[in-house]
Amino acid sequence: QGQCPYCADSKYVKNDIDKGSQRYKCKKCHRCFAEYSGTWMAEFQRKDVIIPYLNCMVQEYSLDKIVNTLEINKKTVFDWRHKILASLRTTQNGDFVGIIECDETEFRLNQKGQKVKKIKARHRGKSLSYKRFQIDLVVTADRAGELDVSQTVNGKMTKAYLTATLADRLNERTILCTDGSKTLKGFATDHKLEYLPLRADLKQFVRNKIYHIQHVNSHHNYLQMDTQPFHSCFH
């Protein structure tokens, strides 16, 4: 049995149908709400294509392929992807077990239309030299399927950030595999975690045939498909 998203009371009655969704009226606070109010689907207009869209995400379709398959606007496809990822980040908060992979990746932040003072314009094709125009996403995954994708604070991964987002979901029996980041090494030391760095500069991608960060790297590639530069959708 559901409850009112405003006062959490469980007594309500049906109150018409709007755009195909059943609406209700709470007997306690007398406010109206829809069947999807308070969920990640609340603002989705095309609820009839949510299931096909999720199937496309599972099959790792690119944005363009989803647009052609479902015949919906590309901006809608882009926005939905990040709303769904955000909802997974807040609902799938189980503990990580066994071998854990963790790595960060950078995205350019699109500030088109915003006034930026004392910064020269960057021409297309040239590298981005200003760190504050980038955002970092940290991807953490274990071999059991647990996944966390989150944006760092102030554009840089720190031990304090890792402690706040991951420490409660780890234990001393987990093994942390990373790319050799000093921040992740310090975090592992502080929390007494077994730490196995991989040196890509020495072409060390796998240790003992089981320790690697290929799962998080594949998630990086998936997030980067057709999504750069990022708009301020994480702010």
Side-chain angles (χ1 to χ4, degrees):
Q1 186 178 6
Q3 61 185 19
C4 172
Y6 302 108
C7 68
D9 193 77
S10 60
K11 296 181 180 179
Y12 52 85
V13 295
K14 291 183 178 180
N15 187 36
D16 205 359
I17 294 177
D18 180 41
K19 298 178 182 178
S21 297
Q22 179 65 57
R23 292 186 60 80
Y24 303 91
K25 185 173 183 179
C26 177
K27 290 185 176 181
K28 182 178 181 179
C29 67
H30 306 294
R31 300 183 68 174
C32 296
F33 59 94
E35 55 185 322
Y36 297 107
S37 295
T39 71
W40 58 272
M41 295 183 290
E43 298 180 359
F44 287 12
Q45 299 297 321
R46 291 290 307 278
K47 294 182 175 61
D48 57 306
V49 296
I50 289 178
I51 298 302
Y53 181 88
L54 291 174
N55 289 332
C56 290
M57 286 190 65
V58 170
Q59 297 178 59
E60 299 187 357
Y61 282 13
S62 66
L63 295 185
D64 288 331
K65 191 171 183 179
I66 296 176
V67 169
N68 295 330
T69 302
L70 303 181
E71 298 182 348
I72 55 180
N73 185 271
K74 188 170 183 177
K75 184 179 184 304
T76 299
V77 173
F78 178 85
D79 291 342
W80 280 22
R81 170 176 289 181
H82 295 290
K83 287 180 180 179
I84 291 171
L85 289 176
S87 71
L88 291 175
R89 187 164 64 246
T90 57
T91 57
Q92 295 185 348
N93 55 356
D95 291 341
F96 290 103
V97 295
I99 300 172
I100 301 168
E101 304 172 28
C102 186
D103 195 13
E104 63 177 332
T105 186
E106 295 178 345
F107 291 87
R108 295 197 305 271
L109 181 61
N110 190 332
Q111 293 187 313
K112 184 177 180 180
Q114 301 181 31
K115 292 184 179 180
V116 181
K117 298 180 179 180
K118 299 181 181 180
I119 296 294
K120 294 182 179 180
R122 181 183 68 88
H123 297 284
R124 184 184 297 274
K126 293 188 176 181
S127 62
L128 185 66
S129 58
Y130 301 104
K131 185 68 178 179
R132 69 189 183 94
F133 291 113
Q134 294 179 340
I135 61 173
D136 286 5
L137 294 185
V138 179
V139 179
T140 308
D142 63 15
R143 305 298 168 80
E146 192 67 34
L147 174 68
D148 182 270
V149 182
S150 57
Q151 178 191 347
T152 60
V153 179
N154 298 325
K156 191 65 178 178
M157 182 176 66
T158 63
K159 290 196 297 181
Y161 164 81
L162 293 170
T163 298
T165 56
L166 295 178
D168 291 340
R169 302 172 64 184
L170 306 177
N171 59 66
E172 295 182 359
R173 295 186 300 275
T174 57
I175 302 172
L176 187 63
C177 293
T178 76
D179 63 349
S181 164
K182 293 182 179 179
T183 302
L184 284 165
K185 181 179 180 180
F187 168 75
T189 302
D190 291 348
H191 294 275
K192 300 179 180 179
L193 302 174
E194 186 174 349
Y195 173 73
L196 287 174
L198 300 166
R199 295 285 303 276
D201 57 328
L202 300 178
K203 296 185 178 181
Q204 183 186 54
F205 302 106
V206 182
R207 293 178 61 174
N208 299 329
K209 298 183 179 182
I210 58 172
Y211 301 113
H212 56 76
I213 55 172
Q214 295 172 4
H215 291 98
V216 295
N217 285 337
S218 68
H219 284 293
H220 288 171
N221 294 333
Y222 176 58
L223 290 169
Q224 289 170 345
M225 287 191 303
D226 302 317
T227 61
Q228 287 193 336
F230 262 41
H231 293 269
S232 302
C233 55
F234 287 89
H235 292 259

PDB file of all heavy atoms in Angstrom, residues 81 101-107 136-140 147-150 179 213-228 230:
ATOM      1  N   ARG A  81      18.936   9.473 -19.292  1.00  0.00           N
ATOM      2  CA  ARG A  81      20.069   8.628 -18.897  1.00  0.00           C
ATOM      3  C   ARG A  81      20.603   9.050 -17.531  1.00  0.00           C
ATOM      4  O   ARG A  81      20.835   8.224 -16.653  1.00  0.00           O
ATOM      5  CB  ARG A  81      21.182   8.697 -19.940  1.00  0.00           C
ATOM      6  CG  ARG A  81      22.488   8.038 -19.489  1.00  0.00           C
ATOM      7  CD  ARG A  81      23.541   8.042 -20.567  1.00  0.00           C
ATOM      8  NE  ARG A  81      23.197   7.120 -21.636  1.00  0.00           N
ATOM      9  CZ  ARG A  81      23.966   6.901 -22.711  1.00  0.00           C
ATOM     10  NH1 ARG A  81      25.091   7.572 -22.850  1.00  0.00           N
ATOM     11  NH2 ARG A  81      23.612   6.035 -23.627  1.00  0.00           N
ATOM     12  N   GLU A 101      36.700  -2.499  -7.720  1.00  0.00           N
ATOM     13  CA  GLU A 101      37.420  -1.644  -8.661  1.00  0.00           C
ATOM     14  C   GLU A 101      36.954  -0.204  -8.466  1.00  0.00           C
ATOM     15  O   GLU A 101      35.763   0.052  -8.300  1.00  0.00           O
ATOM     16  CB  GLU A 101      37.144  -2.078 -10.100  1.00  0.00           C
ATOM     17  CG  GLU A 101      37.474  -3.530 -10.382  1.00  0.00           C
ATOM     18  CD  GLU A 101      37.008  -3.955 -11.758  1.00  0.00           C
ATOM     19  OE1 GLU A 101      36.930  -3.093 -12.656  1.00  0.00           O
ATOM     20  OE2 GLU A 101      36.696  -5.153 -11.933  1.00  0.00           O
ATOM     21  N   CYS A 102      37.894   0.723  -8.495  1.00  0.00           N
ATOM     22  CA  CYS A 102      37.538   2.134  -8.317  1.00  0.00           C
ATOM     23  C   CYS A 102      38.467   2.999  -9.164  1.00  0.00           C
ATOM     24  O   CYS A 102      39.682   2.811  -9.175  1.00  0.00           O
ATOM     25  CB  CYS A 102      37.646   2.535  -6.843  1.00  0.00           C
ATOM     26  SG  CYS A 102      37.072   4.217  -6.492  1.00  0.00           S
ATOM     27  N   ASP A 103      37.886   3.936  -9.896  1.00  0.00           N
ATOM     28  CA  ASP A 103      38.672   4.835 -10.729  1.00  0.00           C
ATOM     29  C   ASP A 103      37.831   6.058 -11.042  1.00  0.00           C
ATOM     30  O   ASP A 103      36.596   6.026 -10.960  1.00  0.00           O
ATOM     31  CB  ASP A 103      39.098   4.136 -12.022  1.00  0.00           C
ATOM     32  CG  ASP A 103      40.203   4.877 -12.754  1.00  0.00           C
ATOM     33  OD1 ASP A 103      40.801   5.788 -12.136  1.00  0.00           O
ATOM     34  OD2 ASP A 103      40.461   4.562 -13.925  1.00  0.00           O
ATOM     35  N   GLU A 104      38.487   7.172 -11.407  1.00  0.00           N
ATOM     36  CA  GLU A 104      37.792   8.394 -11.767  1.00  0.00           C
ATOM     37  C   GLU A 104      38.034   8.722 -13.234  1.00  0.00           C
ATOM     38  O   GLU A 104      39.040   8.309 -13.819  1.00  0.00           O
ATOM     39  CB  GLU A 104      38.248   9.564 -10.893  1.00  0.00           C
ATOM     40  CG  GLU A 104      39.717   9.924 -11.049  1.00  0.00           C
ATOM     41  CD  GLU A 104      40.117  11.130 -10.222  1.00  0.00           C
ATOM     42  OE1 GLU A 104      39.267  11.987  -9.967  1.00  0.00           O
ATOM     43  OE2 GLU A 104      41.308  11.199  -9.845  1.00  0.00           O
ATOM     44  N   THR A 105      37.109   9.473 -13.817  1.00  0.00           N
ATOM     45  CA  THR A 105      37.261   9.930 -15.186  1.00  0.00           C
ATOM     46  C   THR A 105      36.792  11.373 -15.276  1.00  0.00           C
ATOM     47  O   THR A 105      35.943  11.810 -14.487  1.00  0.00           O
ATOM     48  CB  THR A 105      36.459   9.047 -16.163  1.00  0.00           C
ATOM     49  OG1 THR A 105      36.747   9.436 -17.506  1.00  0.00           O
ATOM     50  CG2 THR A 105      34.960   9.161 -15.919  1.00  0.00           C
ATOM     51  N   GLU A 106      37.340  12.118 -16.222  1.00  0.00           N
ATOM     52  CA  GLU A 106      37.058  13.550 -16.342  1.00  0.00           C
ATOM     53  C   GLU A 106      36.149  13.831 -17.531  1.00  0.00           C
ATOM     54  O   GLU A 106      36.231  13.165 -18.558  1.00  0.00           O
ATOM     55  CB  GLU A 106      38.362  14.348 -16.501  1.00  0.00           C
ATOM     56  CG  GLU A 106      39.278  14.286 -15.298  1.00  0.00           C
ATOM     57  CD  GLU A 106      40.566  15.057 -15.532  1.00  0.00           C
ATOM     58  OE1 GLU A 106      40.848  15.389 -16.705  1.00  0.00           O
ATOM     59  OE2 GLU A 106      41.280  15.340 -14.551  1.00  0.00           O
ATOM     60  N   PHE A 107      35.281  14.834 -17.358  1.00  0.00           N
ATOM     61  CA  PHE A 107      34.420  15.312 -18.423  1.00  0.00           C
ATOM     62  C   PHE A 107      34.541  16.825 -18.510  1.00  0.00           C
ATOM     63  O   PHE A 107      34.697  17.496 -17.493  1.00  0.00           O
ATOM     64  CB  PHE A 107      32.950  14.954 -18.160  1.00  0.00           C
ATOM     65  CG  PHE A 107      32.651  13.488 -18.250  1.00  0.00           C
ATOM     66  CD1 PHE A 107      32.802  12.668 -17.148  1.00  0.00           C
ATOM     67  CD2 PHE A 107      32.231  12.927 -19.442  1.00  0.00           C
ATOM     68  CE1 PHE A 107      32.527  11.318 -17.227  1.00  0.00           C
ATOM     69  CE2 PHE A 107      31.956  11.572 -19.526  1.00  0.00           C
ATOM     70  CZ  PHE A 107      32.111  10.767 -18.421  1.00  0.00           C
ATOM     71  N   ASP A 136      34.743  15.544 -12.328  1.00  0.00           N
ATOM     72  CA  ASP A 136      35.244  14.188 -12.185  1.00  0.00           C
ATOM     73  C   ASP A 136      34.115  13.284 -11.706  1.00  0.00           C
ATOM     74  O   ASP A 136      33.387  13.623 -10.763  1.00  0.00           O
ATOM     75  CB  ASP A 136      36.388  14.134 -11.168  1.00  0.00           C
ATOM     76  CG  ASP A 136      37.680  14.716 -11.721  1.00  0.00           C
ATOM     77  OD1 ASP A 136      37.628  15.234 -12.846  1.00  0.00           O
ATOM     78  OD2 ASP A 136      38.702  14.656 -11.031  1.00  0.00           O
ATOM     79  N   LEU A 137      33.987  12.137 -12.360  1.00  0.00           N
ATOM     80  CA  LEU A 137      33.052  11.115 -11.917  1.00  0.00           C
ATOM     81  C   LEU A 137      33.851   9.938 -11.392  1.00  0.00           C
ATOM     82  O   LEU A 137      34.808   9.495 -12.031  1.00  0.00           O
ATOM     83  CB  LEU A 137      32.152  10.649 -13.065  1.00  0.00           C
ATOM     84  CG  LEU A 137      31.170  11.657 -13.650  1.00  0.00           C
ATOM     85  CD1 LEU A 137      30.293  10.978 -14.688  1.00  0.00           C
ATOM     86  CD2 LEU A 137      30.310  12.280 -12.568  1.00  0.00           C
ATOM     87  N   VAL A 138      33.489   9.448 -10.213  1.00  0.00           N
ATOM     88  CA  VAL A 138      34.139   8.290  -9.620  1.00  0.00           C
ATOM     89  C   VAL A 138      33.217   7.084  -9.772  1.00  0.00           C
ATOM     90  O   VAL A 138      32.063   7.121  -9.346  1.00  0.00           O
ATOM     91  CB  VAL A 138      34.456   8.530  -8.127  1.00  0.00           C
ATOM     92  CG1 VAL A 138      35.107   7.290  -7.517  1.00  0.00           C
ATOM     93  CG2 VAL A 138      35.373   9.730  -7.961  1.00  0.00           C
ATOM     94  N   VAL A 139      33.735   6.041 -10.401  1.00  0.00           N
ATOM     95  CA  VAL A 139      32.965   4.810 -10.607  1.00  0.00           C
ATOM     96  C   VAL A 139      33.564   3.711  -9.743  1.00  0.00           C
ATOM     97  O   VAL A 139      34.774   3.473  -9.786  1.00  0.00           O
ATOM     98  CB  VAL A 139      32.974   4.382 -12.085  1.00  0.00           C
ATOM     99  CG1 VAL A 139      32.191   3.078 -12.265  1.00  0.00           C
ATOM    100  CG2 VAL A 139      32.381   5.466 -12.963  1.00  0.00           C
ATOM    101  N   THR A 140      32.724   3.071  -8.946  1.00  0.00           N
ATOM    102  CA  THR A 140      33.147   1.974  -8.079  1.00  0.00           C
ATOM    103  C   THR A 140      32.258   0.766  -8.361  1.00  0.00           C
ATOM    104  O   THR A 140      31.037   0.907  -8.448  1.00  0.00           O
ATOM    105  CB  THR A 140      33.029   2.358  -6.594  1.00  0.00           C
ATOM    106  OG1 THR A 140      33.704   3.599  -6.370  1.00  0.00           O
ATOM    107  CG2 THR A 140      33.636   1.286  -5.708  1.00  0.00           C
ATOM    108  N   LEU A 147      27.240  -1.251  -7.984  1.00  0.00           N
ATOM    109  CA  LEU A 147      27.827  -0.154  -8.752  1.00  0.00           C
ATOM    110  C   LEU A 147      27.504   1.175  -8.097  1.00  0.00           C
ATOM    111  O   LEU A 147      26.398   1.392  -7.604  1.00  0.00           O
ATOM    112  CB  LEU A 147      27.280  -0.167 -10.182  1.00  0.00           C
ATOM    113  CG  LEU A 147      27.676   1.002 -11.100  1.00  0.00           C
ATOM    114  CD1 LEU A 147      29.156   0.956 -11.417  1.00  0.00           C
ATOM    115  CD2 LEU A 147      26.851   0.973 -12.390  1.00  0.00           C
ATOM    116  N   ASP A 148      28.479   2.092  -8.101  1.00  0.00           N
ATOM    117  CA  ASP A 148      28.262   3.451  -7.615  1.00  0.00           C
ATOM    118  C   ASP A 148      28.918   4.421  -8.591  1.00  0.00           C
ATOM    119  O   ASP A 148      30.087   4.263  -8.949  1.00  0.00           O
ATOM    120  CB  ASP A 148      28.868   3.636  -6.214  1.00  0.00           C
ATOM    121  CG  ASP A 148      28.613   5.039  -5.668  1.00  0.00           C
ATOM    122  OD1 ASP A 148      29.445   5.933  -5.907  1.00  0.00           O
ATOM    123  OD2 ASP A 148      27.580   5.227  -5.006  1.00  0.00           O
ATOM    124  N   VAL A 149      28.139   5.408  -9.035  1.00  0.00           N
ATOM    125  CA  VAL A 149      28.652   6.469  -9.907  1.00  0.00           C
ATOM    126  C   VAL A 149      28.308   7.795  -9.248  1.00  0.00           C
ATOM    127  O   VAL A 149      27.144   8.091  -9.003  1.00  0.00           O
ATOM    128  CB  VAL A 149      28.023   6.416 -11.314  1.00  0.00           C
ATOM    129  CG1 VAL A 149      28.609   7.511 -12.205  1.00  0.00           C
ATOM    130  CG2 VAL A 149      28.227   5.050 -11.952  1.00  0.00           C
ATOM    131  N   SER A 150      29.320   8.603  -8.938  1.00  0.00           N
ATOM    132  CA  SER A 150      29.057   9.859  -8.245  1.00  0.00           C
ATOM    133  C   SER A 150      30.022  10.940  -8.713  1.00  0.00           C
ATOM    134  O   SER A 150      31.135  10.656  -9.165  1.00  0.00           O
ATOM    135  CB  SER A 150      29.156   9.676  -6.725  1.00  0.00           C
ATOM    136  OG  SER A 150      30.436   9.176  -6.377  1.00  0.00           O
ATOM    137  N   ASP A 179      44.044   2.392 -10.256  1.00  0.00           N
ATOM    138  CA  ASP A 179      45.067   2.679 -11.258  1.00  0.00           C
ATOM    139  C   ASP A 179      46.336   3.249 -10.633  1.00  0.00           C
ATOM    140  O   ASP A 179      47.186   3.783 -11.341  1.00  0.00           O
ATOM    141  CB  ASP A 179      44.518   3.664 -12.290  1.00  0.00           C
ATOM    142  CG  ASP A 179      44.172   5.011 -11.667  1.00  0.00           C
ATOM    143  OD1 ASP A 179      44.158   5.110 -10.427  1.00  0.00           O
ATOM    144  OD2 ASP A 179      43.905   5.963 -12.421  1.00  0.00           O
ATOM    145  N   ILE A 213      40.827  -3.390 -13.409  1.00  0.00           N
ATOM    146  CA  ILE A 213      39.772  -2.366 -13.286  1.00  0.00           C
ATOM    147  C   ILE A 213      39.019  -2.236 -14.613  1.00  0.00           C
ATOM    148  O   ILE A 213      38.549  -1.169 -14.987  1.00  0.00           O
ATOM    149  CB  ILE A 213      40.351  -0.994 -12.859  1.00  0.00           C
ATOM    150  CG1 ILE A 213      41.448  -0.532 -13.816  1.00  0.00           C
ATOM    151  CG2 ILE A 213      40.874  -1.050 -11.436  1.00  0.00           C
ATOM    152  CD1 ILE A 213      41.917   0.890 -13.545  1.00  0.00           C
ATOM    153  N   GLN A 214      38.886  -3.341 -15.313  1.00  0.00           N
ATOM    154  CA  GLN A 214      38.257  -3.326 -16.625  1.00  0.00           C
ATOM    155  C   GLN A 214      36.760  -3.032 -16.554  1.00  0.00           C
ATOM    156  O   GLN A 214      36.186  -2.463 -17.485  1.00  0.00           O
ATOM    157  CB  GLN A 214      38.509  -4.654 -17.342  1.00  0.00           C
ATOM    158  CG  GLN A 214      39.988  -4.883 -17.659  1.00  0.00           C
ATOM    159  CD  GLN A 214      40.271  -6.267 -18.199  1.00  0.00           C
ATOM    160  OE1 GLN A 214      39.355  -7.058 -18.408  1.00  0.00           O
ATOM    161  NE2 GLN A 214      41.549  -6.576 -18.414  1.00  0.00           N
ATOM    162  N   HIS A 215      36.111  -3.429 -15.442  1.00  0.00           N
ATOM    163  CA  HIS A 215      34.675  -3.170 -15.311  1.00  0.00           C
ATOM    164  C   HIS A 215      34.391  -1.668 -15.209  1.00  0.00           C
ATOM    165  O   HIS A 215      33.508  -1.150 -15.890  1.00  0.00           O
ATOM    166  CB  HIS A 215      34.107  -3.907 -14.091  1.00  0.00           C
ATOM    167  CG  HIS A 215      34.078  -5.394 -14.242  1.00  0.00           C
ATOM    168  ND1 HIS A 215      35.061  -6.197 -13.721  1.00  0.00           N
ATOM    169  CD2 HIS A 215      33.201  -6.218 -14.868  1.00  0.00           C
ATOM    170  CE1 HIS A 215      34.787  -7.463 -14.009  1.00  0.00           C
ATOM    171  NE2 HIS A 215      33.672  -7.500 -14.701  1.00  0.00           N
ATOM    172  N   VAL A 216      35.151  -0.967 -14.365  1.00  0.00           N
ATOM    173  CA  VAL A 216      34.904   0.475 -14.224  1.00  0.00           C
ATOM    174  C   VAL A 216      35.322   1.212 -15.493  1.00  0.00           C
ATOM    175  O   VAL A 216      34.704   2.211 -15.872  1.00  0.00           O
ATOM    176  CB  VAL A 216      35.606   1.063 -12.986  1.00  0.00           C
ATOM    177  CG1 VAL A 216      35.044   0.494 -11.707  1.00  0.00           C
ATOM    178  CG2 VAL A 216      37.106   0.863 -13.040  1.00  0.00           C
ATOM    179  N   ASN A 217      36.364   0.736 -16.180  1.00  0.00           N
ATOM    180  CA  ASN A 217      36.760   1.368 -17.430  1.00  0.00           C
ATOM    181  C   ASN A 217      35.675   1.229 -18.497  1.00  0.00           C
ATOM    182  O   ASN A 217      35.450   2.146 -19.291  1.00  0.00           O
ATOM    183  CB  ASN A 217      38.071   0.767 -17.944  1.00  0.00           C
ATOM    184  CG  ASN A 217      39.279   1.249 -17.165  1.00  0.00           C
ATOM    185  OD1 ASN A 217      39.242   2.314 -16.548  1.00  0.00           O
ATOM    186  ND2 ASN A 217      40.347   0.479 -17.160  1.00  0.00           N
ATOM    187  N   SER A 218      34.986   0.091 -18.496  1.00  0.00           N
ATOM    188  CA  SER A 218      33.896  -0.081 -19.453  1.00  0.00           C
ATOM    189  C   SER A 218      32.736   0.852 -19.126  1.00  0.00           C
ATOM    190  O   SER A 218      32.071   1.374 -20.029  1.00  0.00           O
ATOM    191  CB  SER A 218      33.409  -1.537 -19.455  1.00  0.00           C
ATOM    192  OG  SER A 218      32.774  -1.882 -18.231  1.00  0.00           O
ATOM    193  N   HIS A 219      32.514   1.109 -17.826  1.00  0.00           N
ATOM    194  CA  HIS A 219      31.481   2.074 -17.434  1.00  0.00           C
ATOM    195  C   HIS A 219      31.893   3.489 -17.836  1.00  0.00           C
ATOM    196  O   HIS A 219      31.045   4.298 -18.245  1.00  0.00           O
ATOM    197  CB  HIS A 219      31.214   1.998 -15.934  1.00  0.00           C
ATOM    198  CG  HIS A 219      30.406   0.818 -15.511  1.00  0.00           C
ATOM    199  ND1 HIS A 219      29.074   0.663 -15.858  1.00  0.00           N
ATOM    200  CD2 HIS A 219      30.719  -0.274 -14.784  1.00  0.00           C
ATOM    201  CE1 HIS A 219      28.612  -0.476 -15.353  1.00  0.00           C
ATOM    202  NE2 HIS A 219      29.593  -1.056 -14.696  1.00  0.00           N
ATOM    203  N   HIS A 220      33.183   3.801 -17.746  1.00  0.00           N
ATOM    204  CA  HIS A 220      33.669   5.106 -18.208  1.00  0.00           C
ATOM    205  C   HIS A 220      33.367   5.281 -19.686  1.00  0.00           C
ATOM    206  O   HIS A 220      32.860   6.333 -20.113  1.00  0.00           O
ATOM    207  CB  HIS A 220      35.180   5.214 -17.983  1.00  0.00           C
ATOM    208  CG  HIS A 220      35.568   5.362 -16.560  1.00  0.00           C
ATOM    209  ND1 HIS A 220      36.876   5.299 -16.125  1.00  0.00           N
ATOM    210  CD2 HIS A 220      34.820   5.592 -15.445  1.00  0.00           C
ATOM    211  CE1 HIS A 220      36.914   5.469 -14.803  1.00  0.00           C
ATOM    212  NE2 HIS A 220      35.681   5.640 -14.379  1.00  0.00           N
ATOM    213  N   ASN A 221      33.658   4.264 -20.473  1.00  0.00           N
ATOM    214  CA  ASN A 221      33.416   4.349 -21.911  1.00  0.00           C
ATOM    215  C   ASN A 221      31.928   4.506 -22.212  1.00  0.00           C
ATOM    216  O   ASN A 221      31.531   5.242 -23.111  1.00  0.00           O
ATOM    217  CB  ASN A 221      33.957   3.095 -22.602  1.00  0.00           C
ATOM    218  CG  ASN A 221      35.465   2.988 -22.526  1.00  0.00           C
ATOM    219  OD1 ASN A 221      36.152   4.005 -22.416  1.00  0.00           O
ATOM    220  ND2 ASN A 221      35.987   1.779 -22.568  1.00  0.00           N
ATOM    221  N   TYR A 222      31.107   3.811 -21.427  1.00  0.00           N
ATOM    222  CA  TYR A 222      29.657   3.896 -21.622  1.00  0.00           C
ATOM    223  C   TYR A 222      29.148   5.303 -21.323  1.00  0.00           C
ATOM    224  O   TYR A 222      28.344   5.865 -22.057  1.00  0.00           O
ATOM    225  CB  TYR A 222      28.972   2.879 -20.720  1.00  0.00           C
ATOM    226  CG  TYR A 222      27.460   2.934 -20.769  1.00  0.00           C
ATOM    227  CD1 TYR A 222      26.785   2.762 -21.961  1.00  0.00           C
ATOM    228  CD2 TYR A 222      26.720   3.141 -19.605  1.00  0.00           C
ATOM    229  CE1 TYR A 222      25.406   2.803 -22.005  1.00  0.00           C
ATOM    230  CE2 TYR A 222      25.344   3.191 -19.646  1.00  0.00           C
ATOM    231  CZ  TYR A 222      24.691   3.006 -20.849  1.00  0.00           C
ATOM    232  OH  TYR A 222      23.326   3.057 -20.891  1.00  0.00           O
ATOM    233  N   LEU A 223      29.642   5.908 -20.238  1.00  0.00           N
ATOM    234  CA  LEU A 223      29.230   7.257 -19.876  1.00  0.00           C
ATOM    235  C   LEU A 223      29.713   8.293 -20.888  1.00  0.00           C
ATOM    236  O   LEU A 223      29.052   9.304 -21.122  1.00  0.00           O
ATOM    237  CB  LEU A 223      29.759   7.622 -18.489  1.00  0.00           C
ATOM    238  CG  LEU A 223      29.116   6.897 -17.307  1.00  0.00           C
ATOM    239  CD1 LEU A 223      29.917   7.160 -16.033  1.00  0.00           C
ATOM    240  CD2 LEU A 223      27.682   7.334 -17.112  1.00  0.00           C
ATOM    241  N   GLN A 224      30.855   8.025 -21.493  1.00  0.00           N
ATOM    242  CA  GLN A 224      31.435   8.988 -22.422  1.00  0.00           C
ATOM    243  C   GLN A 224      30.818   8.933 -23.813  1.00  0.00           C
ATOM    244  O   GLN A 224      31.031   9.831 -24.615  1.00  0.00           O
ATOM    245  CB  GLN A 224      32.945   8.764 -22.522  1.00  0.00           C
ATOM    246  CG  GLN A 224      33.687   9.193 -21.267  1.00  0.00           C
ATOM    247  CD  GLN A 224      35.132   8.753 -21.269  1.00  0.00           C
ATOM    248  OE1 GLN A 224      35.535   7.896 -22.051  1.00  0.00           O
ATOM    249  NE2 GLN A 224      35.925   9.318 -20.373  1.00  0.00           N
ATOM    250  N   MET A 225      30.064   7.891 -24.114  1.00  0.00           N
ATOM    251  CA  MET A 225      29.475   7.773 -25.438  1.00  0.00           C
ATOM    252  C   MET A 225      28.511   8.920 -25.701  1.00  0.00           C
ATOM    253  O   MET A 225      27.480   9.051 -25.030  1.00  0.00           O
ATOM    254  CB  MET A 225      28.719   6.436 -25.595  1.00  0.00           C
ATOM    255  CG  MET A 225      29.605   5.229 -25.724  1.00  0.00           C
ATOM    256  SD  MET A 225      28.666   3.771 -26.214  1.00  0.00           S
ATOM    257  CE  MET A 225      27.450   3.669 -24.909  1.00  0.00           C
ATOM    258  N   ASP A 226      28.866   9.772 -26.648  1.00  0.00           N
ATOM    259  CA  ASP A 226      28.008  10.863 -27.113  1.00  0.00           C
ATOM    260  C   ASP A 226      27.636  11.846 -26.029  1.00  0.00           C
ATOM    261  O   ASP A 226      26.633  12.549 -26.142  1.00  0.00           O
ATOM    262  CB  ASP A 226      26.704  10.311 -27.729  1.00  0.00           C
ATOM    263  CG  ASP A 226      26.979   9.378 -28.876  1.00  0.00           C
ATOM    264  OD1 ASP A 226      27.852   9.697 -29.692  1.00  0.00           O
ATOM    265  OD2 ASP A 226      26.302   8.337 -28.969  1.00  0.00           O
ATOM    266  N   THR A 227      28.401  11.924 -24.912  1.00  0.00           N
ATOM    267  CA  THR A 227      27.975  12.798 -23.823  1.00  0.00           C
ATOM    268  C   THR A 227      28.916  13.970 -23.594  1.00  0.00           C
ATOM    269  O   THR A 227      28.614  14.817 -22.773  1.00  0.00           O
ATOM    270  CB  THR A 227      27.870  12.010 -22.491  1.00  0.00           C
ATOM    271  OG1 THR A 227      29.136  11.481 -22.156  1.00  0.00           O
ATOM    272  CG2 THR A 227      26.858  10.903 -22.621  1.00  0.00           C
ATOM    273  N   GLN A 228      30.048  14.069 -24.263  1.00  0.00           N
ATOM    274  CA  GLN A 228      30.947  15.197 -24.030  1.00  0.00           C
ATOM    275  C   GLN A 228      30.656  16.293 -25.037  1.00  0.00           C
ATOM    276  O   GLN A 228      30.397  16.004 -26.207  1.00  0.00           O
ATOM    277  CB  GLN A 228      32.395  14.742 -24.158  1.00  0.00           C
ATOM    278  CG  GLN A 228      32.847  13.891 -22.983  1.00  0.00           C
ATOM    279  CD  GLN A 228      34.362  13.740 -22.987  1.00  0.00           C
ATOM    280  OE1 GLN A 228      35.033  13.852 -23.996  1.00  0.00           O
ATOM    281  NE2 GLN A 228      34.902  13.492 -21.821  1.00  0.00           N
ATOM    282  N   PHE A 230      29.884  17.793 -21.074  1.00  0.00           N
ATOM    283  CA  PHE A 230      28.756  17.711 -20.156  1.00  0.00           C
ATOM    284  C   PHE A 230      28.130  19.081 -19.938  1.00  0.00           C
ATOM    285  O   PHE A 230      28.816  20.078 -19.837  1.00  0.00           O
ATOM    286  CB  PHE A 230      29.231  17.187 -18.779  1.00  0.00           C
ATOM    287  CG  PHE A 230      28.997  15.727 -18.616  1.00  0.00           C
ATOM    288  CD1 PHE A 230      29.228  14.856 -19.661  1.00  0.00           C
ATOM    289  CD2 PHE A 230      28.555  15.231 -17.414  1.00  0.00           C
ATOM    290  CE1 PHE A 230      29.032  13.495 -19.495  1.00  0.00           C
ATOM    291  CE2 PHE A 230      28.353  13.873 -17.234  1.00  0.00           C
ATOM    292  CZ  PHE A 230      28.596  13.011 -18.292  1.00  0.00           C
TER     293      PHE A 230
END
